[in-house]
Amino acid sequence: MINQPNNTVFIGKVAFHLSSVDSTNKYAQELISKTNPIEGTVIRAEEQFGGRGQFGSEWKTKPGENITISIILCPKFLLVKHQFYLSAAIALGVYDFINELYPSAALSIKWPNDMYIGDKKVAGLLIENILRGIYLDKTIVGIGININQAVFDPNLPNPTSLYLETQKKFEINDLLFQLYAHLERQYFRLKKGSFYEILKDYQKCLFRINLLKKYKLSDGSLINAQIIGVEENGRLLVKHEEIIRSFDLKEISVIF
Ligand code: BTN
């Protein structure tokens, strides 16, 4: 464990920098179950040998080339029914960070919280909430951002990295506090209750917002439709033949 000097209020004040771990999210879970980590504690790994992605998938990246971290937050002020705003705020923090590094990128947030440059995925989030009654208690924010990796597992559908997009290599140590500062800014907006503003910003950044594109529904059918936004519970709003429907995860997928 190291105490680092930094420009943030609470994220990264305490950080565990591990050379290798199964998953930083899992490590964070264990830390929470055994100790009482302070809010903003970061677990960073050079290598994950059991990195977790959404829906039980794996998150496989090359050791030392990318950002793979988990941050422990304590959003005790947030009602469970408002948890999507936390997910949106975190997504915006990561979006702002990538946008600062690479302002000309065709960057977007693919619902609910993947980061895309054009049609390629550059980062993913795995947000795990621990609830206490009607409020959130703790949240583990797992963040994987592809930074310097040049070659990816051919089985991954559409990965990219900042290196592949910009032809520039980045010094990961220098980037982390930039990322934490952006996350903190969005988290403070959430804490202030700026839900409407967060949702508005999130919608502005949505992948393919308002474009007529092909989507696949869970029954296998294909529709030409437009993503027009999200509901406050996080369901995706899609307009199809002048009718607006809302979808949950797994009920709709993008066709590339
Ligand atoms: C996804 O897009 O499927 C989510 C990927 C999340 C990956 C990060 S890497 C750091 C943290 N630890 C994990 O095991 N997963 C998250």
Side-chain angles (χ1 to χ4, degrees):
M1 187 169 88
I2 40 172
N3 288 303
Q4 295 185 313
N6 55 66
N7 59 348
T8 59
V9 178
F10 71 102
I11 297 182
K13 292 279 174 197
V14 173
F16 294 80
H17 188 175
L18 313 169
S19 52
S20 182
V21 70
D22 48 358
S23 150
T24 55
N25 268 39
K26 188 155 171 268
Y27 192 95
Q29 271 168 9
E30 284 160 12
L31 212 59
I32 289 170
S33 69
K34 292 184 191 141
T35 67
N36 191 16
I38 63 163
E39 181 163 41
T41 297
V42 171
I43 297 100
R44 171 186 172 196
E46 293 297 322
E47 175 185 20
Q48 292 189 118
F49 49 86
R52 296 174 177 176
Q54 287 160 13
F55 313 119
S57 66
E58 277 180 286
W59 185 257
K60 282 199 215 162
T61 54
K62 289 213 171 142
E65 299 192 352
N66 304 298
I67 292 180
T68 43
I69 58 167
S70 297
I71 303 172
I72 297 173
L73 297 177
C74 308
K76 295 178 195 289
F77 56 87
L78 194 67
L79 287 163
V80 173
K81 67 176 182 182
H82 289 154
Q83 60 187 300
F84 179 70
Y85 292 111
L86 173 61
S87 168
I90 299 297
L92 282 173
V94 177
Y95 178 97
D96 292 344
F97 166 70
I98 299 173
N99 195 40
E100 186 177 63
L101 290 182
Y102 180 24
S104 59
L107 185 64
S108 66
I109 302 173
K110 183 169 159 288
W111 176 79
N113 47 26
D114 287 342
M115 296 297 139
Y116 268 61
I117 296 179
D119 277 350
K120 293 183 171 174
K121 180 164 169 172
V122 69
L125 306 180
L126 181 63
I127 297 177
E128 299 181 291
N129 292 323
I130 301 168
L131 314 179
R132 195 183 178 94
I134 58 168
Y135 286 93
L136 267 70
D137 184 33
K138 293 200 166 55
T139 296
I140 298 167
V141 177
I143 303 176
I145 308 176
N146 300 333
I147 304 286
N148 291 325
Q149 190 164 331
V151 180
F152 285 87
D153 182 333
N155 296 318
L156 292 173
N158 49 1
T160 191
S161 67
L162 287 180
Y163 170 70
L164 287 175
E165 298 296 325
T166 62
Q167 301 306 311
K168 275 196 280 187
K169 291 270 181 178
F170 295 83
E171 180 51 63
I172 292 174
N173 284 322
D174 297 344
L175 302 182
L176 290 168
F177 277 92
Q178 243 170 286
L179 170 63
Y180 302 160
H182 282 296
L183 291 168
E184 231 178 55
R185 182 176 155 263
Q186 294 294 344
Y187 188 65
F188 285 141
R189 286 175 94 197
L190 178 78
K191 217 167 178 174
K192 246 181 26 194
S194 304
F195 293 165
Y196 174 76
E197 291 77 5
I198 289 171
L199 207 60
K200 212 169 67 178
D201 288 351
Y202 174 87
Q203 296 187 140
K204 263 197 263 168
C205 299
L206 267 183
F207 181 76
R208 295 189 175 175
I209 184 84
N210 294 328
L211 299 177
L212 192 61
K213 294 279 179 183
K214 210 165 242 156
Y215 295 93
K216 188 174 182 181
L217 305 186
S218 45
D219 63 5
S221 60
L222 297 179
I223 57 167
N224 278 316
Q226 286 162 287
I227 292 176
I228 57 162
V230 283
E231 289 180 330
E232 73 157 10
N233 57 12
R235 286 174 71 90
L236 189 69
L237 287 169
V238 174
K239 188 158 131 190
H240 173 229
E241 293 172 349
E242 297 311 310
I243 294 167
I244 296 172
R245 292 165 64 184
S246 79
F247 292 90
D248 212 339
L249 290 168
K250 298 261 177 173
E251 291 176 351
I252 186 163
S253 53
V254 166
I255 307 274
F256 285 101

